[in-house]
Amino acid sequence: MAVVLAGLLLPAAPPAGAAQRTQTQPQKQKQKWTGTWATAQHAAYDPGTSEVTVRIPVRVSAGGSGVRIRLTNDFTTEPVTIGHATVGLRDGGGAVTKPRELSFGGKGRVTIPAGEQAAGDPVRLTVPARSDLVVSLYFPGRLTHISQHWMGLQTVYWTPDGGGDHAGDAEADAFTRSDSSFPFLTGVDVRGGSAAGSVVALGDSITDGASSTADSNRRWPDYLAARLSGCFTTAGVLNEGISGNRITAGTDGNPSALDRLERDVLSQPNARTVLLFEGVNDLSWGGATGDQVIDGMKEIARRVHARGMRLVGATVVPYRGWGDWWTEAEEADRQKVNAFVRDSGGVLDGYADFDRAVRDPDDHTRYGAEFDSGDHLHPNDTGMKAFADAVDLPGLRVARDCPSTRVRLTSYRPSLQTGGQGTRITATLTNEGSSAAGDVRTRLELPAGWSAEPAGGARLRTLHPGQSATVGWTVTPGPDTAWGSHPLGVRSTYRQSGRQRFDADEVDATVTPVPSGVETPYRTTATTDDAHYAQNGGQFAIWAGGRDLSGWKDEKAAVYLPGAAPAFGSVAARVVSQTGSGPSAKAGIAVANDLTAPEKGGYAVLTMSARFGLEFMTDSDGDGRLDTWAGGGSSYHPAWLRLVRAGTTYTAYASADGVAWQQVAAATVPSAGGDGDAGLVASAVNLDHPGQTTTAVLDSFSPSGASVTFDAVPGPSSR
């Protein structure tokens, strides 16, 4: 980064049936274990596989010099055997730096009965705060079930069926499948670090991270861990959110907050404070009254306090516009619950005003637009960060000597263009402490090649308690900057109460393309009047309207290469992002005998929609219309897409990382012949959004590029 300077082992009380968790713990150890990562297992399924290894990356919160893992076999009726387990620091993707062997009671193999848990023996390993650990588990024989937390928002790597034991591999070559749920692993603990304890976030899908960016650790507990890392004595942050969770009632596979309180919260090692953020599901589709939610909160408080822990409540966020769930009566109940959280008469030990942090200042029943993911209930990454910023760190009573002078960058998601006049970025410093901050210096951290012109000084002699000040820059990306997201950081240092302190912040700046055309040998074609294109090295942008790209409609814009899809070969690309238009907007790859005239045959398209997942469409009769369909599932970006052609048969694959591919479907296209055209396509699907366009950014599409090539696939021996 270029810098622009302007101016004993004490186990937790185990849940019932978990006796084997403590038998491996040497009592002579004096240091306490502290939870640094956790997730709430809540369901199980039969994977239908044998002899497999799973590799689970997790982002820890607090660091230490020793680590142990905790496994669970809850929600099952059969035992599970782990034949080999390792842990190590992540080395990118599914790779691990020097995997360390794990044992359970001195043995490398452990069988966990149904409904039971097991803790691994301690491993000496230096674990930096907010680093990535990887836990690998090998399952010998038939794996009859997987106990899981399904919304992992994290790529988890699996070997194929029959892949065998690869827990000790440093590289990730054997892990060719992936999903995004956390199997069996329920906790990671550390000792020997600076953490004085942990904070447990008890919540629903918002705490679970729904609508935050996957594989980026942008749930609000992740942001809270980042804030706590600046404290002299830090704290672990444990995410115990489950999508759809409620206080007042539960379902099979999703027990209520009250029913799972012992297992997921009170039994956590060295947990000091619980941050309760639930109620929206109770009040909306759950049908509970405000009084019932308040009664549930009081019962949680009673049980938390009985364990000597603190309970901090969070206000219930607005949700008007989320489906048809909001009503005036429910809003009145929400306000009643929030009034209790803000003034509980001592029932709660404090509160975080999440409602105030994200609500629309002009309509308190709705999210502010800058925080809304689009469904009007779940926040985007910016909203997640706003929640973490709303937590009073001293009020948690876990971490100590935390920064009281904070720096925050705005805008939250600045948009910049290469070759433009620059974009104003502002840092706001606020002294929330009781003493003055002196010699306050602020610097902006930029990607290499970027420039920033300061607008005023970035050094303050004194910032008094309650005072705020701003520092600004005009930021311009480098001329060769890739389109997409780039981190902008800011760091302020100051002296307060005789000690040198600091605070930092980071936002994602998006560098956006502007129409500029494409370079030879690439060509363009469109069946809409509002198509535009741009190329930035191996990146391509397509602006497109169009009512759809399916059935009787074939309205799209495309960048293509003539003859680049051989009769036996493959074509692939990565859909980086889609913006604009509605949720059905599509972007992806296409092949045809002639993409300028799909009626000449061989037409097939594989796209990722903005919100509704994969769509694999082919022309079965050669009339130029895409009349077969397969796909669905969740939408994710970036998305790797690949079409493999073997004569007249097309097979579609998709991947979240370009390594582990999953088959979407296969189809026969009888009219395919010879070397066809291969292209990148986009359609706004604006039938219900007339006049709107979509902007799609794609990359890794090149006949000679290293990332993706049109690799030859062996054809029949008679060919």
Side-chain angles (χ1 to χ4, degrees), residues 361-535:
D362 298 321
D363 183 353
H364 290 183
T365 67
R366 300 180 183 272
Y367 264 86
E370 68 270 36
F371 306 117
D372 193 350
S373 69
D375 68 5
H376 312 305
L377 171 65
H378 300 97
N380 55 24
D381 293 352
T382 302
M384 292 288 184
K385 183 179 177 183
F387 289 156
D389 282 348
V391 177
D392 175 36
L393 299 189
L396 296 175
R397 300 286 179 88
V398 185
R400 294 192 298 273
D401 201 7
C402 299
S404 61
T405 296
R406 296 167 59 184
V407 60
R408 290 294 177 263
L409 283 170
T410 53
S411 62
Y412 292 106
R413 287 177 174 263
S415 180
L416 306 93
Q417 292 181 338
T418 56
Q421 299 300 309
T423 300
R424 179 66 178 267
I425 305 295
T426 301
T428 301
L429 298 98
T430 304
N431 186 347
E432 299 176 344
S434 58
S435 61
D439 193 20
V440 185
R441 306 186 187 204
T442 304
R443 70 182 185 185
L444 191 65
E445 298 175 334
L446 301 175
W450 290 36
S451 63
E453 290 294 330
R459 182 176 180 181
L460 300 171
R461 185 180 299 276
T462 305
L463 192 66
H464 296 285
Q467 184 181 4
S468 292
T470 60
V471 180
W473 302 264
T474 299
V475 178
T476 304
D480 299 323
T481 300
W483 304 326
S485 180
H486 298 267
L488 291 182
V490 67
R491 181 182 176 93
S492 289
T493 60
Y494 58 95
R495 290 196 65 80
Q496 192 170 35
S497 300
R499 177 177 290 176
Q500 189 74 19
R501 305 305 306 267
F502 78 92
D503 192 38
D505 191 27
E506 184 177 280
V507 297
D508 286 333
T510 303
V511 177
T512 59
V514 293
S516 58
V518 299
E519 303 170 2
T520 305
Y522 299 100
R523 301 181 185 179
T524 62
T525 184
T527 50
T528 61
D529 295 329
D530 47 3
H532 301 281
Y533 313 91
Q535 183 180 354

Side-chain angles (χ1 to χ4, degrees), residues 201-288:
L202 177 59
D204 49 36
S205 59
I206 301 178
T207 298
D208 214 0
S211 295
S212 68
T213 302
D215 285 316
S216 297
N217 301 298
R218 294 181 179 177
R219 314 161 189 88
W220 70 261
D222 296 318
Y223 283 114
L224 179 60
R227 287 191 61 202
L228 286 165
S229 67
C231 302
F232 184 77
T233 302
T234 61
V237 179
L238 308 182
N239 189 332
E240 295 291 352
I242 300 178
S243 179
N245 204 232
R246 290 177 287 168
I247 294 174
T248 58
T251 62
D252 185 23
N254 197 338
S256 71
L258 283 162
D259 288 340
R260 67 189 183 96
L261 188 65
E262 176 66 39
R263 183 199 70 179
D264 292 343
V265 179
L266 302 182
S267 64
Q268 295 296 334
N270 206 17
R272 301 292 185 85
T273 298
V274 181
L275 209 166
L276 173 63
F277 180 32
E278 292 212 29
V280 69
N281 293 323
D282 301 82
L283 297 174
S284 56
W285 57 268

Side-chain angles (χ1 to χ4, degrees), residues 162-174:
D165 181 8
H166 290 276
D169 293 5
E171 65 278 358
D173 296 348

Side-chain angles (χ1 to χ4, degrees), residues 58-130:
V58 299
R59 171 65 58 86
V60 303
S61 49
S65 59
V67 65
R68 72 175 182 183
I69 70 167
R70 291 179 281 124
L71 303 173
T72 186
N73 193 27
D74 287 335
F75 299 98
T76 66
T77 59
E78 299 178 57
V80 64
T81 296
I82 290 92
H84 185 197
T86 63
V87 64
L89 295 174
R90 192 177 191 181
D91 191 24
V96 185
T97 300
K98 297 180 181 179
R100 306 292 181 91
E101 297 292 318
L102 286 170
S103 60
F104 301 83
K107 299 178 180 180
R109 182 185 183 101
V110 64
T111 296
I112 309 174
E116 299 284 334
Q117 301 184 17
D121 297 334
V123 173
R124 185 179 296 276
L125 177 67
T126 299
V127 181
R130 302 183 64 224

